[in-house]
Amino acid sequence: TTVRLEGFRALYAGSASSFLCNVAENAVLFLFYGQSRELIRSLSNTRTCADLSVTQNACAGGISALFSSLVVSPLELIKCRQQAQHELALGKRSSTMASIVRTLVHQEGLPGLWRGLTSTWVREVPGYFFFFGGNEMTRRLVCSDPNKASPAAVVFAGGCGGACFWLGTFPADVVKSRQQVNADGVKSVSFWTGFRTILRNEGVSALYRGLVPTIIRSFPANGALFLVYETTMKLL
């Protein structure tokens, strides 16, 4: 249906902003994850970052998400707008990232680029707590020495971390996406108002619609992410 109505290119609507979002998010996330681990190590008088507990690593992940969300929120807003342009009656011609930014700034000012930021924090902070905590816990369960995990163990643990992220945060992601897809000119509602509206009108199941394919898709992606991260850190 999508191909018939909007053409083959519609299948890739928002792919550029999605790619940019993933690159920017992971760059900022892992930068501040390392800094947060060092901060927690210092505050807890732990000898090295390798000696941090699962909970301490998880907390470092949550702290790093506060900063990565500032990059993720506007980029995901652009991606959501591009992918939903047909439903938003933005015309048949595909909107570029630049045109969406201009429209948002014109209608809502610069703060409009961060529409849904609170929802992004609600998703990202606990999400990356579970993400890094799940990764660290899995490594300790499958490896005798978590600091010397094999590539296969790194990929598996990273995939489990990604699954933990979505299991804990999928409802918040649904609310955030609804907020960001709101038609131009419609005043943004708060996270909790959006959450209650979905529950009242569509039920609990709406908050988990699409969870299984999301986890299946994210498992290998997050496994590869951790493998690349750890390989890069060893080479530096």
Side-chain angles (χ1 to χ4, degrees):
T1 300
T2 300
V3 174
R4 186 174 70 253
L5 295 175
E6 303 176 57
F8 185 76
R9 291 179 62 185
L11 295 175
Y12 297 92
S15 58
S17 53
S18 180
F19 174 77
L20 182 60
C21 179
N22 287 331
V23 171
E25 176 184 19
N26 288 318
V28 176
L29 179 71
F30 280 96
L31 169 64
F32 281 98
Y33 177 61
Q35 298 298 318
S36 299
R37 291 181 79 207
E38 184 59 37
L39 174 63
I40 292 173
R41 182 206 65 76
S42 176
L43 293 175
S44 62
N45 293 319
T46 305
R47 190 167 61 88
T48 67
C49 288
D51 297 320
L52 293 175
S53 68
V54 171
T55 302
Q56 288 172 321
N57 278 289
C59 288
I63 294 171
S64 64
L66 287 170
F67 300 96
S68 64
S69 295
L70 297 174
V71 175
V72 170
S73 187
L75 291 174
E76 285 201 342
L77 172 58
I78 295 168
K79 179 186 72 174
C80 287
R81 289 295 181 89
Q82 284 185 305
Q83 292 176 336
Q85 62 181 324
H86 179 70
E87 299 169 46
L88 295 173
L90 296 178
K92 294 182 179 180
R93 187 176 179 180
S94 178
S95 299
T96 64
M97 292 177 63
S99 67
I100 291 175
V101 169
R102 284 195 299 269
T103 300
L104 283 167
V105 172
H106 175 72
Q107 294 184 343
E108 304 179 44
L110 281 176
L113 293 174
W114 281 270
R115 170 185 281 202
L117 177 59
T118 300
S119 299
T120 302
W121 272 328
V122 170
R123 181 194 68 179
E124 299 280 291
V125 173
Y128 280 108
F129 177 92
F130 294 133
F131 181 70
F132 286 103
N135 169 71
E136 195 65 29
M137 176 64 76
T138 304
R139 286 168 68 106
R140 299 185 186 210
L141 289 174
V142 301
C143 303
S144 56
D145 185 352
N147 297 314
K148 297 180 180 179
S150 67
V154 170
V155 170
F156 180 70
C160 288
C164 290
F165 176 97
W166 287 114
L167 284 170
T169 65
F170 201 77
D173 185 66
V174 171
V175 177
K176 178 196 67 66
S177 296
R178 297 284 185 94
Q179 284 184 305
Q180 293 182 324
V181 170
N182 262 342
D184 293 335
V186 176
K187 186 178 180 180
S188 179
V189 299
S190 70
F191 172 81
W192 294 112
T193 298
F195 182 81
R196 289 194 298 268
T197 299
I198 293 173
L199 275 181
R200 183 175 61 253
N201 296 337
E202 303 174 57
V204 176
S205 62
L207 294 171
Y208 293 93
R209 195 173 295 144
L211 174 61
V212 173
T214 297
I215 290 178
I216 293 173
R217 181 194 67 201
S218 70
F219 196 97
N222 286 300
L225 173 64
F226 270 99
L227 181 61
V228 170
Y229 169 72
E230 301 226 347
T231 301
T232 302
M233 292 301 292
K234 290 177 182 178
L235 294 175
L236 292 178

